[in-house]
């Protein structure tokens, strides 16, 4: 076992494996640039335990600096590495992004791909969100739909005449000019592979946050069951259903349950009830599961109340709604 301080993140390193590779399998973002011929980025300090320098086969003394890419654990280690942040603890920063692509993927949802010239300077966790800052307008917030390991930032933006602010963002992005971003935001995210089964619940474009989580987990050693519920009003609102279905085919740990409301009844309260019933009937062990939810405040709180009543500990329910739209 390897403990990273001050983040408090722990992970397992198999015998003979270097600490950097083991951290990557656990989904922990340790900075490195070995592919670019640059060294020293994965430096840490040994606080306790016994570690081996795999280059010279020498034991590393307590208090010494080490490179995680060429260090193996001989027993339980405690390392100091300030570059690794606990979930949701990275500070938002401003970036200028170039628009790579904007395309409609259904009747009112656009897939946006952004490139950050200083991408290596950005660190975020799977499941976080960002702000798009337009001149003379309030910031518009969108979930990041891509994994932290991807070179570009992906967004899913629902825009229609009724969504004035979102439509302004799409208009600005399609102009081809650079756009100002501030990120990352959000505490309902993952900084390492969870040690419990996961339930992911999304309504509408809340799927974007879940896509970030799934893409991230698929690139790690995650062996816990992951189940996604995606609730929409109409079939055509499930804009990437084929993608979720492909995940289910390719990843044995993953299952997908679409929840589609009655086309004749677009009442969100009734739709929330339908989604809640589907989750409650999942057969999950509420004492051994982690739940991540993305959607409107009404949906999130309806689901939270139902799950807490069913026995889910409050500390196992994660949604950014709890932070930006707290109940009085």
């Amino acid at each position: 076992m390897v403990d990273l301080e001050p983040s408090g993140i722990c992970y397992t390193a198999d015998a003979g494996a270097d600490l950097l590779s083991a951290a990557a399998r656990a989904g922990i973002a340790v900075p490195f640039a070995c592919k670019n011929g640059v060294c020293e980025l994965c430096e840490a300090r040994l606080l306790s335990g016994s570690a081996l320098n795999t280059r010279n086969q020498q034991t590393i003394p307590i208090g010494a600096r080490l490179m995680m890419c060429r260090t193996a654990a001989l027993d339980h280690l405690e390392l100091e590495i300030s570059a690794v942040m606990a979930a949701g603890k990275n500070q938002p920063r401003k970036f200028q992004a170039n628009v790579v692509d904007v395309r409609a993927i259904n009747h009112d949802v656009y897939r946006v791909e952004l490139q950050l010239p200083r991408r290596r300077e950005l660190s975020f966790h799977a499941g976080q969100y960002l702000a798009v800052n337009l001149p003379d307008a309030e910031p518009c917030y969108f979930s990041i739909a891509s994994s932290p390991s991807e070179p570009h930032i992906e967004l899913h933006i629902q825009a229609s005449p009724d969504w004035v602010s979102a439509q302004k963002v799409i208009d600005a992005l399609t102009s081809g000019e650079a756009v100002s971003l501030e990120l990352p935001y959000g505490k309902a995210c993952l900084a390492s592979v969870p040690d419990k089964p996961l339930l992911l619940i999304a309504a509408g474009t809340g799927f974007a946050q879940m896509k970030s989580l799934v893409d991230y987990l698929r690139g790690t050693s995650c062996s816990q069951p992951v189940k996604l519920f995606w609730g929409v009003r109409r079939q055509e609102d499930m804009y990437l259903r084929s993608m979720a279905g492909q995940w289910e085919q390719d990843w044995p740990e993953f299952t997908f349950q679409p929840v589609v409301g009655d086309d004749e009844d677009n009442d969100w309260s009734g739709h929330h009830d339908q989604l809640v019933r589907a989750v409650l009937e999942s057969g999950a062990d509420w004492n051994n599961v982690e739940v991540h939810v993305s959607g409107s405040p009404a949906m999130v709180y309806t689901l939270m109340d139902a799950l807490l009543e069913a026995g889910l500990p409050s500390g196992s329910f994660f949604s950014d709604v709890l932070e930006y739209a707290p109940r009085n």
Side-chain angles (χ1 to χ4, degrees):
M1 183 67 68
V2 181
D3 297 337
L4 303 180
E5 299 298 340
S7 68
I9 294 175
C10 303
Y11 69 100
T12 300
D14 295 334
D18 69 84
L19 301 183
L20 181 62
S21 299
R25 287 193 294 273
I28 300 168
V30 176
F32 72 95
C34 303
K35 294 180 181 178
N36 297 325
V38 179
C39 198
E40 310 301 317
L41 289 182
C42 65
E43 184 181 69
R45 188 166 69 92
L46 181 62
L47 299 179
S48 66
S50 180
L52 180 72
N53 184 319
T54 57
R55 294 282 181 86
N56 59 22
Q57 299 300 306
Q58 297 295 312
T59 301
I60 299 171
I62 300 298
R65 313 300 296 188
L66 57 84
M67 297 298 112
M68 294 178 66
C69 63
R70 54 176 185 260
T71 301
L74 299 178
D75 57 19
H76 190 140
L77 300 182
E78 184 179 8
L79 304 179
E80 180 183 62
I81 177 167
S82 59
V84 174
M85 305 297 292
K89 295 298 184 180
N90 30 23
Q91 294 299 309
R93 298 174 55 193
K94 292 183 178 180
F95 293 86
Q96 287 294 115
N98 298 320
V99 180
V100 176
D101 187 44
V102 179
R103 67 180 64 188
I105 52 178
N106 80 342
H107 59 284
D108 64 354
V109 176
Y110 293 80
R111 179 188 179 275
V112 175
E113 187 176 353
L114 303 173
Q115 180 184 39
L116 276 64
R118 296 181 293 149
R119 179 63 180 88
R120 278 184 55 194
E121 298 179 17
L122 170 64
S123 176
F124 69 93
H125 294 132
Q128 292 196 288
Y129 61 97
L130 57 73
V132 177
N133 298 312
L134 299 180
D136 303 318
E138 292 294 319
C140 293
Y141 296 92
F142 303 102
S143 292
I144 300 172
S146 43
S147 166
S149 62
E150 292 297 319
H152 293 171
I153 300 294
E154 180 181 341
L155 308 176
H156 299 164
I157 299 179
Q158 186 175 21
S160 69
D162 297 332
W163 296 74
V164 177
S165 59
Q167 188 61 56
K168 286 183 178 179
V169 171
I170 291 298
D171 292 342
L173 293 172
T174 53
S175 71
E177 296 182 3
V179 63
S180 175
L181 307 178
E182 190 164 357
L183 69 160
Y185 290 99
K187 297 180 180 178
C189 54
L190 293 176
S192 60
V193 172
D195 58 3
K196 296 179 180 179
L198 280 179
L199 286 186
L200 309 179
I201 300 107
T205 52
F207 174 79
Q209 182 180 19
M210 302 310 151
K211 179 181 178 297
S212 175
L213 294 174
V214 171
D215 284 348
Y216 161 76
L217 290 170
R218 292 182 68 197
T220 70
S221 59
C222 179
S223 59
Q224 294 291 343
V226 179
K227 184 163 188 175
L228 169 66
F229 293 84
W230 188 6
V232 295
R233 297 175 180 177
R234 298 175 296 270
Q235 290 283 355
E236 57 265 32
D237 295 332
M238 198 164 284
Y239 54 90
L240 288 176
R241 181 169 183 160
S242 60
M243 175 180 286
Q246 192 64 49
W247 290 338
E248 189 169 38
Q249 291 184 35
D250 296 343
W251 189 20
E253 287 79 12
F254 180 82
T255 54
F256 170 50
Q257 183 167 337
V259 181
V260 182
D262 185 345
D263 288 356
E264 302 300 320
D265 179 11
N266 289 338
D267 178 69
W268 272 108
S269 177
H271 176 65
H272 290 163
D273 292 342
Q274 184 183 12
L275 184 56
V276 169
R277 286 197 302 272
V279 175
L280 288 174
E281 292 169 0
S282 66
D285 177 1
W286 301 118
N287 288 313
N288 185 42
V289 68
E290 187 171 309
V291 179
H292 288 254
V293 187
S294 183
S296 69
M299 184 278 279
V300 169
Y301 284 116
T302 298
L303 181 61
M304 184 180 74
D305 291 343
L307 295 185
L308 295 185
E309 184 177 352
L312 180 75
S314 60
S316 297
F317 186 94
F318 298 89
S319 176
D320 289 315
V321 165
L322 306 184
E323 182 181 2
Y324 69 73
R327 289 197 290 202
N328 295 328

